[in-house]
Amino acid sequence: MRVKTAGAAESSRGLSFSRGGAAARAKGATKPRVSHTAADIDRVLREQFGFNGFRPGQRESVEALLAGGSLLCIQPTGYGKSLLYQLPAALLGGITLVVSPLLALMRDQLAHLNDRFGLPAGSINSDQSDEENAATRAAAAEGALRLLFVSPEHLDHVDRFEALAGLPVKLVVVDEAHCISTWGHDFRPAYRQIVHLLRALQARHPALRVLGLTATADERVEADIRAQLQGPGGAPLVVHRSSMDRPNLSLAVVREPGMARKLAYLEQLVPRLPAPGLLYCATREHTELVADYLSSCGLAAAAYHAGLDPEHKRRLQDDFLAGRHPVIAATNALGMGIDKSDLRYVIHFDVPGSVTAYYQEVGRAGRDGAPARGILLFDPEDSKIQEHFIDSAQPQPDDFAAVLAAVDGDEPPGLTGLKVRTGLHPTRVTVVVAELVEQGFLRKRSAGGKQVYEATGRAGAPELGRYRDQHEVRTRELAAMLAYGRAEVDCLMATLRRALGDRAAAVCGRCSVCRGQRSSVDVSAAASPWELTGGMA
């Protein structure tokens, strides 16, 4: 008999507050225990989560956290990282606070926690109404939640920060922990607020546990995460690193220059691949273009991106998870947080910005352990999109000057006011303001329930070295991704693994490079769905 293992718990990732569910189940939640034996852990794993065994390494991480340790877990997608904090949350009591930028992750995970695992959980995020967020805050303050999910941007607000710092938090989970490092491929200034929250919580709860989770951290990023999450006086941050190999995932690169050729290839390819599948696109416009084209060819496809109405996004995600959409074209607004372990393929319509991002995205396929495919449709010209993203994400000295000038006046502005006064892109303003606060040029305070910003009078100019570092990192990573697309490597899977710290990774023997498939695939001549995706020019 096949043992059901806890790896399926990775499928408990997602995003919206189940109305009434948290408070209704709070009294029946697992009670906190003074000590936790192996028998306790096995009982909760079996009775509450429905699993008969752990995946390799999971038990060690769970036991370390329950014993009062702090961890950084660097493990591949599909590993089952969510269980590493869900199970401790069932035993620890208090609140497990999960900081994550992935709204889709929160929505799906909350549904599992509240409805499947009986753990009262809620979230606070921008996709919910003010009323939903207020209900979640009230439930947390009343002790009715066991897990609370928040976005890192939520920590930037003074009043909300203080409310979180006052909760009985036993474990802080930093999801996508690489975002805290300027050397990571996806550094986010809002993640710096996590460090401040940790310091505030550690001052009130000396036994606070910390868990960082990521699938994309090389040695340099690992060291940076450890330095920031450990902090002064905190417990040593132990690193649990697993092999990044995905033996059930076969990778391929198909050279298809031009939009028309890519769309024509998808028209032939998608019907022959076992559903369900995910088509990654770099832009919102491309998701709609791909979905519309496939639909015009009689193929059921939908587009998903961050610009859609929140309720529409929820319906799309629910339909996709339920199998009502066999294929969906999406930006990573959906793909990084979905709980769909049976994805049989992930196709990248556009080249991603880095090898590390690609590993994370393509790794959504085959999380159930069954054979799956990861296919990159490669056009060197696609690099222009990513180059634009890199350049547009780079704050300039004039941006900092504009924000500082906009703060002057009798009425301290809020974030929206700064966006209006400067005329800069809203995302750029958010980044610049976070940096100016971090470096002490601005201070934030609460005024009538709203957060406003005022100048501190600090002399000099902001230090922008971290953004120069980021530009260097992103440029270098894009170059590595283009080399992957041109197949200037000995093995596709080994290339991904080495970029993530598996320095001794051997060739996989199953990707298109290892199999010597160097010509474009004739889809019409393919004998099976697994033969038609291995080509490469």
Side-chain angles (χ1 to χ4, degrees):
M1 183 179 71
R2 185 176 179 182
V3 176
K4 185 180 180 185
T5 65
E10 175 68 10
S11 65
S12 5
R13 301 186 134 214
L15 179 121
S16 64
F17 182 59
S18 296
R19 295 176 178 84
R25 272 178 283 274
K27 294 182 179 179
T30 305
K31 295 181 180 179
R33 306 173 70 90
V34 176
S35 62
H36 312 289
T37 65
D40 293 329
I41 295 172
D42 290 335
R43 174 182 54 78
V44 173
L45 180 71
R46 181 180 62 255
E47 296 178 0
Q48 190 148 13
F49 293 93
F51 302 119
N52 296 322
F54 286 102
R55 283 190 175 184
Q58 285 182 321
R59 177 183 286 277
E60 291 81 354
S61 296
V62 169
E63 289 179 342
L65 283 172
L66 288 173
S70 292
L71 304 176
L72 170 61
C73 292
I74 306 171
Q75 292 147 342
T77 53
Y79 177 86
K81 292 188 286 292
S82 296
L83 186 73
L84 302 187
Y85 61 84
Q86 290 175 349
L87 197 154
L91 287 165
L92 285 174
I95 288 178
T96 291
L97 180 65
V98 184
V99 183
S100 174
L102 305 176
L103 299 186
L105 179 152
M106 296 184 201
R107 179 184 301 118
D108 181 71
Q109 188 157 139
L110 291 186
H112 281 277
L113 289 166
N114 283 307
D115 302 330
R116 179 181 173 190
F117 300 141
L119 280 172
S123 70
I124 303 171
N125 62 74
S126 60
D127 257 7
Q128 296 178 171
S129 68
D130 291 341
E131 291 76 14
E132 287 176 310
N133 286 331
T136 303
R137 285 192 289 270
E142 294 166 3
L145 298 183
R146 187 57 57 84
L147 293 100
L148 176 61
F149 294 79
V150 299
S151 65
E153 289 75 17
H154 182 80
L155 307 181
D156 185 57
H157 195 283
V158 174
D159 293 339
R160 297 168 188 167
F161 182 99
E162 289 299 324
L164 290 175
L167 294 174
V169 177
K170 295 295 184 69
L171 169 63
V172 174
V173 181
V174 182
D175 197 29
E176 307 299 325
H178 57 273
C179 295
I180 206 169
S181 172
T182 56
W183 299 110
H185 71 279
D186 192 22
F187 167 66
R188 304 188 185 202
Y191 262 65
R192 297 293 191 182
Q193 294 298 320
I194 298 174
V195 177
H196 300 310
L197 180 63
L198 283 177
R199 303 298 171 262
L201 287 170
Q202 286 168 342
R204 301 179 186 183
H205 311 289
L208 182 74
R209 300 160 175 86
V210 180
L211 173 62
L213 298 174
T214 180
T216 53
D218 60 16
E219 292 91 339
R220 182 184 232 175
V221 174
E222 174 190 320
D224 198 4
I225 296 171
R226 290 177 66 183
Q228 296 196 58
L229 293 188
Q230 181 173 325
L237 197 69
V238 176
V239 177
H240 288 188
R241 181 186 281 274
S242 302
S243 168
M244 293 293 154
D245 193 19
R246 291 288 307 279
N248 66 315
L249 183 60
S250 297
L251 301 174
V253 176
V254 179
R255 194 179 191 77
E256 290 293 350
M259 183 73 68
R261 286 188 55 172
K262 286 186 181 181
L263 291 171
Y265 188 79
L266 283 180
E267 180 184 356
Q268 299 177 72
L269 179 64
V270 169
R272 294 194 169 190
L273 288 175
L278 176 61
L279 309 178
Y280 267 108
C281 300
T283 67
R284 299 176 181 182
E285 292 77 9
H286 282 189
T287 65
E288 295 177 357
L289 176 66
V290 169
D292 289 347
Y293 180 83
L294 292 179
S295 297
S296 71
C297 298
L299 303 173
Y304 183 106
H305 56 73
L308 299 175
D309 175 80
E311 188 57 39
H312 183 44
K313 286 190 292 185
R314 293 185 191 187
R315 287 197 305 271
L316 281 174
Q317 184 175 343
D318 290 344
D319 287 344
F320 187 50
L321 295 176
R324 291 187 287 271
H325 284 307
V327 60
I328 194 163
T331 62
N332 60 12
L334 169 72
M336 297 316 299
I338 58 170
D339 166 23
K340 193 159 182 65
S341 62
D342 63 342
L343 280 176
R344 298 276 59 87
Y345 65 89
V346 169
I347 299 175
H348 277 73
F349 188 78
D350 302 302
V351 68
S354 70
V355 169
T356 47
Y358 181 66
Y359 175 86
Q360 196 171 40
E361 293 165 5
V362 78
R364 310 317 293 180
R367 288 162 55 215
D368 57 2
R373 288 273 173 160
I375 308 162
L376 171 64
L377 304 186
F378 183 66
D379 179 357
E381 291 298 306
D382 288 346
S383 64
K384 293 179 180 178
I385 296 176
Q386 296 299 337
E387 289 167 355
H388 170 73
F389 289 160
I390 291 172
D391 292 338
S392 61
Q394 184 78 358
Q396 300 301 318
D398 288 348
D399 300 330
F400 288 86
V403 171
L404 287 171
V407 172
D408 288 339
D410 297 332
E411 192 72 23
L415 192 59
T416 300
L418 287 173
K419 293 173 181 177
V420 173
R421 292 183 186 184
T422 61
L424 298 173
H425 189 282
T427 301
R428 179 70 59 86
V429 174
T430 300
V431 169
V432 169
V433 168
E435 190 64 45
L436 289 171
V437 171
E438 181 75 17
Q439 295 193 31
F441 288 91
L442 292 181
R443 70 169 62 91
K444 54 189 177 183
R445 62 179 176 85
S446 181
K450 296 182 179 180
Q451 180 159 289
V452 297
Y453 298 88
E454 54 192 13
T456 63
R458 177 180 174 178
E463 169 54 47
L464 304 184
R466 68 176 61 170
Y467 295 100
R468 290 190 291 270
D469 293 343
Q470 263 290 289
H471 194 274
E472 175 189 335
V473 168
R474 288 172 173 162
T475 301
R476 186 170 62 245
E477 289 226 2
L478 178 58
M481 189 66 230
L482 296 176
Y484 177 101
R486 292 190 295 265
E488 297 172 354
V489 297
D490 61 342
C491 168
L492 298 180
M493 179 59 75
T495 297
L496 300 184
R497 292 176 62 190
R498 291 166 191 158
L500 297 169
D502 279 4
R503 296 303 181 193
V507 296
C508 71
R510 60 185 180 271
C511 71
S512 57
V513 170
C514 287
R515 295 168 64 186
Q517 296 172 328
R518 298 279 174 173
S519 60
S520 296
V521 174
D522 181 359
V523 178
S524 62
S528 76
W530 301 116
E531 293 178 15
L532 58 83
T533 60
M536 173 179 62

